[in-house]
Amino acid sequence: MSYPTQPTASHFINGQYVEDTAGTPIDVIYPATGEKIATVYSATPAIIAQALDAAKSAQSAWAKMSGTERGRILRRAADLMRERNHDLSVLETFDTGKPYQETIAVDATSGADALEYFGGMAATLTGEHIQLGEDWVYTRREALGVCVGIGAWNYPTQIACWKGAPALACGNAMVFKPSETTPLCALKVAEILVEAGLPAGIYNVIQGMGDVGAALVTDDRVDKVSLTGSVPTGKKVYAAAAAGIKHVTMELGGKSPMIVFEDADIENAVGGAILGNFYSSGQVCSNGTRVFVHKSIKEAFLKRLSERLDTAVIGDPQIEETNFGPMVSERQLEIALGYVEKGKTEGARLVYGGNRLDRGGFYMQPTVFADVKDDMVIAREEIFGPVMAVLDFDDEDDVMTRANDTEFGLAAGVFTKDLSRAHRVAANFEAGTCFINSYNDAPVEAPFGGSKNSGVGRENSKAAINYYSQLKSVYVRMGDVEAPF
Ligand code: NDP
């Protein structure tokens, strides 16, 4: 597969690529081979200031445009992303190592969905009229101002769009910082938005590590921070944003439960467990990594799971047949392999995989542990790799308590043919995003986000508008003012 057109500089500010080699160099590594494919430079204080100034000075004119005009630009960008899906997907695969088979179906396309959805919604964003006798109040739905987006490395195109599209639809400007591990894709999103007619300065991308993110979060020019990342980073960013009373959206980690009852369709449950543990080599925040399987079907479930894992095509992610690629980095691979060792030491039964693959790049086998106990580390901590923990249960009340006994609350799934039970379990899950007889669907029309330590706020859907806009009430008196003196 040919090498895609790469971004031509590290940053995209005020409608154009900007380079500043004074920043710390960041090597971009192709996870399938470990080779360096590009170098970007971390934003210096001057670059950070340039991006924030550009956003601040462009934002009010953008907010004054009609929603129809703003939406048209976002929808044009969605069309461009779809036209260039192949090139964007190849780049996403170089950036993340995810198989092209996935990126062609999910990444630029879900980014385009967000641009199209919020582009369509921009013209419908209105306030309301509240009659109070002769007097009345009207509300204006207004932009927040300058929003900072900070991304994780697993879905760099999608995250850049999921944050950018609702922010821009509401009339905000954005400065986006991708993860240092996957810096390339967001630059292409910025390039496409400008080509679609976005005024300069409304969507800017700057590179850097946590220190650049921290500088953005604490800057007075910034009104809102939207982070996708781990819970520890979320706690730091939330606290820093609170010091400036800034709005926040926190899309954080998880250790989500999936419950497979005895009456479940085993093929579908196994399919759900595969999607919820091994898609993107397990590097998905909402993954259902604690799979509670009813004792009576456990061995049948494990047998079909192993048979289907044997058919995984592991290899070069640029080849269309490959459906399981490398982890994003050596570091992430080591973390996942470390958890495999912990699982073995704690006495869980390794039923599949567990090893690094003997080839270049950051590959490990899809891995399944059975007989996992609730207090084992592999059942409590987010691994963010292809490591599934299977736990037994035989009673619904008991498994609900165990499923909810976690600091996280991002997602949860249930497989059963019993309609009442399915909805009862979904209602009882302490999680923001639940699935019945399915796993990990994330259409732009549905709210996405976590409860408990997994986050604050919602992305996607009409709900996202509440996190990128604020209401102003305007009281209108029709008669005289009555004052006490
Ligand atoms: P991290 O929390 O390590 O980093 C997230 C982003 O925050 C990165 O861009 C990082 O920069 C930046 N950052 C780090 N420290 C700070 C700071 N003090 N101030 C501001 N920004 C900072 O997460 P990962 O990138 O490792 O991504 C994996 C995590 O993301 C998992 O926990 C996963 O569950 C979660 N996630 C959540 C999703 C959701 O929607 N709920 C979706 C996808 C992932 P840098 O890395 O460049 O140093």
Side-chain angles (χ1 to χ4, degrees), residues 460-481:
N460 289 342
S461 79
K462 291 179 217 157
I465 297 302
N466 293 325
Y467 298 95
Y468 283 103
S469 61
Q470 57 193 338
L471 288 174
K472 177 186 279 173
S473 292
V474 182
Y475 191 103
V476 182
R477 182 172 297 281
M478 301 301 285
D480 295 331
V481 174

Side-chain angles (χ1 to χ4, degrees), residues 150-154 159 177-181 208-211 213-214 217 227-231 233-234 236-237 251-254 284-285 332 382 384 410 448 454 459:
I150 301 178
W153 40 260
N154 57 345
I159 294 172
K177 187 201 85 67
S179 164
E180 121 230 10
T181 313
M209 298 184 235
D211 58 327
V217 171
L227 170 80
T228 296
S230 61
V231 172
T233 302
K236 278 189 238 164
V237 172
E251 291 289 348
L252 309 177
V284 179
C285 51
Q332 200 60 31
E382 183 183 44
F384 222 60
L410 187 54
F448 181 83
S454 290
E459 293 198 309

Side-chain angles (χ1 to χ4, degrees), residues 19-88:
E19 193 54 278
D20 179 359
T21 54
T24 309
I26 300 171
D27 289 344
V28 187
I29 305 294
Y30 179 36
T33 60
E35 287 168 277
K36 184 170 99 172
I37 54 168
T39 301
V40 296
Y41 295 87
S42 182
T44 55
I47 288 285
I48 296 171
Q50 209 179 316
L52 288 170
D53 284 342
K56 184 90 188 158
S57 54
Q59 187 265 327
S60 62
W62 172 244
K64 286 191 183 105
M65 283 168 65
S66 74
T68 305
E69 289 170 306
R70 286 199 303 271
R72 194 178 298 135
I73 292 168
L74 297 185
R75 284 184 287 111
R76 210 179 284 141
D79 291 343
L80 288 173
M81 285 193 75
R82 289 211 177 87
E83 278 166 27
R84 296 177 197 169
N85 188 19
H86 168 76
D87 283 354
L88 294 169

Side-chain angles (χ1 to χ4, degrees), residues 332-346:
Q332 200 60 31
L333 174 66
E334 278 166 12
I335 291 173
L337 290 171
Y339 277 106
V340 172
E341 286 314 308
K342 280 191 193 121
K344 288 187 202 162
T345 314
E346 288 181 307

